[in-house]
Amino acid sequence: MVSPSTFRKKLYHWSSLHPRKDPWIEERDPYRIWISEVLLQQTRSDQARSRYISFLKRFPTLNSLANAKEEAVLLQWQGLGYYARAKNLLRAARILESDYNGIFPQTPAALSTLPGIGSYTAAAIASFAFGHPTAVIDGNVIRVLSRILGIPYLPDTSALKASWQELAQRYLDKSAPARYNQAIMNFGALQCKPAAPGCSDCPFAIYCEAHRSGRIRDYPAKKKKLPRHERHFNYFLMVDPDGKCAIHQRDHDDIWGGLHQLPMIETSNKTEAADFDDYRLKDAFPWILHPTRPEFLASKTAVLSHQLVHCIFYRLSCHAHSAKIKPLLSFENTQNLVNFAFPSVLRRFITDSLKKGLC
DNA sequence: AACGCGGGGAT
DNA sequence: ATCCCAGCGTT
């Protein structure tokens, strides 16, 4: 078993040979670190990198974020997924302004009271910004320590979370928490990768229990597979005589909460254009007047972690009974659609439709 | 303790 | 096809 001091020494040596060039590297400002860490929650650095730059350009300071509208933050987050992250960023920014005088608290315990900041993000901000001696535990840290020490268990109960924290804490370099946390995560991401890890030139191969036993695949244990719920979303590209297009904001208690979409009818099965007669359209959309027969345009499946959302897109022309339009629905000029946040499957469809002149 | 929440890249 | 990503909040 590798001792903490040997582990750190070899980790730092590996680290010096594998410099990383992410824009948040060496960052000390808690606001910027916070943004990067939330972006990186369940998101690869390749995907987060450009978003980090653009988010900070749009919201350069805590104050600018706290004063933003949710719609603006969601627009910035468009296409990234897990949109609760964006909504929690805004909530936390407002709490930091109102309750903390715009100053970040410096301990993991205080940080983790903020919405969207859990144990990982709290440890990351505290160690990177303030040098707090707390070990981060993310997917990388778990994989590295799990393999080297031969511990298969994921921290998926409160007891296992506690023992993992205790273990990670023993290996942490308490004199340089930021450097250590950064290094072990980089090592996990670049060397001790989930699939095809670089064991042949790994500095820990001689200590590694997973490598010794030839059971690398068993460390750490796999999360149990989740069945995917299938859904059918029937979207209607509705164009009024002015060329405006109907959009509506989704409820917050379902996927893509708070984002926009086209008027939609969810069905339990696949549909075709003939399934939607005037009666059915008026039942679903009480404000609709003189709809033309829906025309099939496209179908596309959105693959989510827990759901398979089959989207079918139809087009129709109509008028709108303005008095019956609900608050969350509106007709927008098509050139204005770039100012609303859509889930990726809809953003792609809308972009294509504009290109083809369908709206 | 278990589940819901996106989207994408690597294998 | 499958895995899983610098996780978190709700139930």
Side-chain angles (χ1 to χ4, degrees):
Chain A
M1 173 166 305
V2 61
S3 72
S5 60
T6 302
F7 180 74
R8 293 193 283 264
K9 185 178 162 203
K10 288 180 171 289
L11 179 65
Y12 287 158
H13 182 248
W14 178 92
S15 209
S16 69
L17 301 176
H18 298 81
R20 223 171 163 177
K21 52 199 179 306
D22 294 313
W24 46 81
I25 220 72
E26 306 283 312
E27 181 59 62
R28 304 300 306 273
D29 174 53
Y31 173 70
R32 298 168 74 88
I33 291 167
W34 175 43
I35 300 304
S36 71
E37 294 302 340
V38 174
L39 276 167
L40 287 162
Q41 288 168 7
Q42 296 293 284
T43 305
R44 285 191 168 64
S45 51
D46 286 341
Q47 194 184 2
R49 208 170 285 119
S50 63
R51 296 305 197 102
Y52 174 75
I53 304 294
S54 59
F55 192 98
L56 288 176
K57 192 169 181 180
R58 178 68 182 80
F59 304 112
T61 62
L62 176 63
N63 187 264
S64 68
L65 178 59
N67 291 324
K69 293 178 181 170
E70 182 177 283
E71 177 65 29
V73 184
L74 283 173
L75 184 60
Q76 196 63 34
W77 212 262
Q78 179 176 229
L80 274 169
Y82 285 170
Y83 298 97
R85 291 184 292 175
K87 293 181 265 185
N88 284 332
L89 269 182
L90 178 56
R91 289 177 53 203
R94 290 176 174 167
I95 292 170
L96 284 166
E97 283 291 308
S98 63
D99 297 1
Y100 291 85
N101 198 23
I103 310 295
F104 276 76
Q106 304 197 0
T107 64
L111 286 162
S112 54
T113 66
L114 293 163
I117 299 185
S119 54
Y120 165 76
T121 307
I125 298 173
S127 63
F128 295 154
F130 306 115
H132 197 282
T134 300
V136 295
I137 298 179
D138 73 331
N140 293 305
V141 174
I142 290 165
R143 192 170 54 256
V144 170
L145 295 180
S146 165
R147 285 173 173 169
I148 294 176
L149 302 176
I151 300 168
Y153 317 107
L154 295 172
D156 54 6
T157 69
S158 54
L160 284 168
K161 279 185 178 64
S163 29
W164 268 102
Q165 189 67 53
E166 193 182 345
L167 179 67
Q169 212 63 29
R170 286 210 295 277
Y171 281 85
L172 171 69
D173 179 358
K174 294 176 188 61
S175 67
R179 180 188 184 195
Y180 172 89
N181 281 337
Q182 198 63 252
I184 189 172
M185 288 194 286
N186 286 344
F187 180 78
L190 301 178
Q191 187 85 30
C192 195
K193 295 180 289 187
C199 301
S200 61
D201 60 346
C202 175
F204 303 114
I206 57 169
Y207 308 101
C208 181
E209 175 58 22
H211 185 251
R212 185 201 65 74
S213 60
R215 316 270 318 218
I216 295 167
R217 240 197 67 84
D218 296 338
Y219 299 92
K222 309 294 178 203
K223 280 177 226 172
K224 69 166 173 257
K225 262 197 53 149
L226 38 98
R228 266 199 188 104
H229 181 206
E230 297 203 34
R231 301 172 74 176
H232 298 269
F233 287 4
N234 305 280
Y235 283 114
F236 296 89
L237 182 62
M238 299 181 174
V239 183
D240 78 1
D242 297 332
K244 293 184 175 181
C245 178
I247 64 171
H248 121 275
Q249 191 176 19
R250 289 182 59 80
D251 294 335
H252 284 270
D253 60 356
D254 195 359
I255 56 166
W256 304 326
L259 274 68
H260 294 270
Q261 62 176 7
L262 303 176
M264 188 270 284
I265 297 175
E266 182 169 5
T267 54
S268 49
N269 293 100
K270 190 174 184 299
T271 63
E272 52 190 68
D275 294 329
F276 300 101
D277 57 13
D278 277 22
Y279 177 83
R280 193 166 183 187
L281 290 172
K282 286 179 180 174
D283 184 51
F285 312 117
W287 42 266
I288 204 168
L289 287 171
H290 318 310
T292 58
R293 184 78 52 204
E295 169 201 0
F296 170 84
L297 285 181
S299 68
K300 178 76 186 168
T301 298
V303 182
L304 281 53
S305 297
H306 297 70
Q307 299 186 29
L308 229 45
V309 184
H310 303 290
C311 300
I312 300 188
F313 297 95
Y314 301 102
R315 185 184 187 283
L316 59 81
S317 304
C318 67
H319 293 66
H321 192 305
S322 54
K324 291 188 181 173
I325 290 186
K326 291 175 182 148
L328 293 179
L329 191 140
S330 63
F331 279 78
E332 300 292 336
N333 288 318
T334 53
Q335 69 266 28
N336 196 26
L337 293 178
V338 293
N339 297 317
F340 295 88
F342 291 93
S344 287
V345 64
L346 277 150
R347 171 54 69 197
R348 284 192 288 266
F349 171 75
I350 289 169
T351 301
D352 284 354
S353 298
L354 286 167
K355 202 185 308 173
K356 294 175 183 167
L358 291 167
C359 64

